[in-house]
Amino acid sequence: MRPFLLLATRADDEPADAEYEAFLLRTGLDASELVRCRLEAGPMPRIDLEDYSGILVGGSPFNTTTVHKSATQQRVEAEFDALLDRVVAEDFPFLGACYGIGTLARHQGAHIDSTYAEEVGAPEITLTPQGLADPLCAGMAPAFRAFVAHNDAITVAPPHMVVLATSPSCPVQMMRVKDNLYATQFHPELDGEFFAHRQGFYADHGYFDPDALPEIQAWTRAQDVSGSWHVLRNFVERYAR
């Protein structure tokens, strides 16, 4: 099988490694089948799409709507734009989570701002009729819970973007472009333990009150978001080649 490629942007080793572990667990892949590239550490290498079954993008401390972006974030965004030019043109299998939805949505002309930002939570997310019929949502309940925490989100989706899942607090929780390009605003890789661990590293990033960290971690560990995990396993089963 050709491996999948995970494009990551977390600068701290511990949360970056935990994110990779979470993606391995939820996809069912091993380290030889899910190749990780940490873009914050250096320029994106030349990616030959023929070498991979598909591309995954994880979350990030970067925000699409940040006014004063670091040189690293500007480089990463430019590299994603160049990659997505090819990925979209070929309709190559792509699944972005959280920051990943921002990369694809921005490339496709969606309007993104802080209107539908969400603090740490596990809202009920509902599949749209299009989502219920989409193979990436196979086996999922019509309504499920998933972890979220983001400072910006899609406010206006372009007409060609298909909304697959929604929630009252964030209208675009999952979307598709063409046939094979997907993204979620929620985190389909996380369980309570992984998310609580991550919160310890991003307590000062505006997702919650830092003084409430112990209570938020305890709440997080008690949540059942297993209904959201199907997305990653379905992606791998559909596109492995």
Side-chain angles (χ1 to χ4, degrees):
M1 185 191 81
R2 300 176 194 181
F4 288 81
L5 175 65
L6 174 63
L7 298 176
T9 57
R10 299 186 186 278
D12 298 305
D13 288 343
E14 195 167 338
D17 290 344
E19 178 182 65
Y20 183 43
E21 183 181 348
F23 271 98
L24 289 172
L25 180 62
R26 300 300 164 219
T27 59
L29 300 172
D30 62 33
S32 69
E33 297 168 327
L34 181 61
V35 177
R36 177 175 58 157
C37 179
R38 292 180 60 177
L39 300 179
E40 88 292 340
M44 182 185 294
R46 171 66 184 177
I47 295 172
D48 186 343
L49 299 181
E50 284 299 311
D51 291 340
Y52 298 99
S53 290
I55 294 174
L56 296 163
V57 179
S60 177
F62 296 154
N63 292 305
T64 302
T65 55
T66 297
V67 176
H68 301 293
K69 297 179 180 180
S70 67
T72 298
Q73 182 172 352
Q74 292 179 47
R75 171 182 59 77
V76 168
E77 289 186 355
E79 290 169 344
F80 265 119
D81 283 343
L83 175 63
L84 285 168
D85 284 345
R86 295 191 291 132
V87 166
V88 174
E90 295 190 26
D91 197 12
F92 185 79
F94 176 96
L95 174 58
C98 200
Y99 180 64
I101 198 172
T103 62
L104 180 58
R106 184 174 64 86
H107 182 271
Q108 290 298 292
H111 181 76
I112 301 171
D113 62 25
S114 61
T115 301
Y116 298 113
E118 293 179 290
E119 295 184 347
V120 166
E124 184 174 83
I125 295 170
T126 303
L127 295 177
T128 64
Q130 293 87 348
L132 289 168
D134 194 281
L136 226 64
C137 302
M140 298 179 70
F144 59 94
R145 295 193 178 275
F147 283 129
V148 299
H150 52 99
N151 291 319
D152 51 28
I154 298 170
T155 303
V156 181
H160 67 281
M161 185 178 290
V162 180
V163 177
L164 302 176
T166 185
S167 70
S169 56
C170 186
V172 184
Q173 287 283 1
M174 182 175 180
M175 59 85 155
R176 189 188 74 237
V177 174
K178 291 189 169 180
D179 292 326
N180 302 311
L181 309 166
Y182 292 89
T184 65
Q185 187 63 73
F186 60 88
H187 286 275
E189 81 280 12
L190 290 179
D191 60 23
E193 195 58 45
F194 276 120
F195 199 22
H197 175 268
R198 181 178 297 176
Q199 290 160 3
F201 292 89
Y202 298 110
D204 60 350
H205 280 62
Y207 302 123
F208 55 87
D209 179 357
D211 293 335
L213 176 60
E215 292 81 7
I216 290 173
Q217 287 178 315
W219 174 88
T220 297
R221 290 186 174 100
Q223 303 309 303
D224 179 6
V225 296
S226 57
S228 66
W229 300 341
H230 292 276
V231 171
L232 283 169
R233 188 61 66 96
N234 287 342
F235 183 78
V236 167
E237 289 180 355
R238 185 180 183 194
Y239 293 114
R241 59 183 178 137

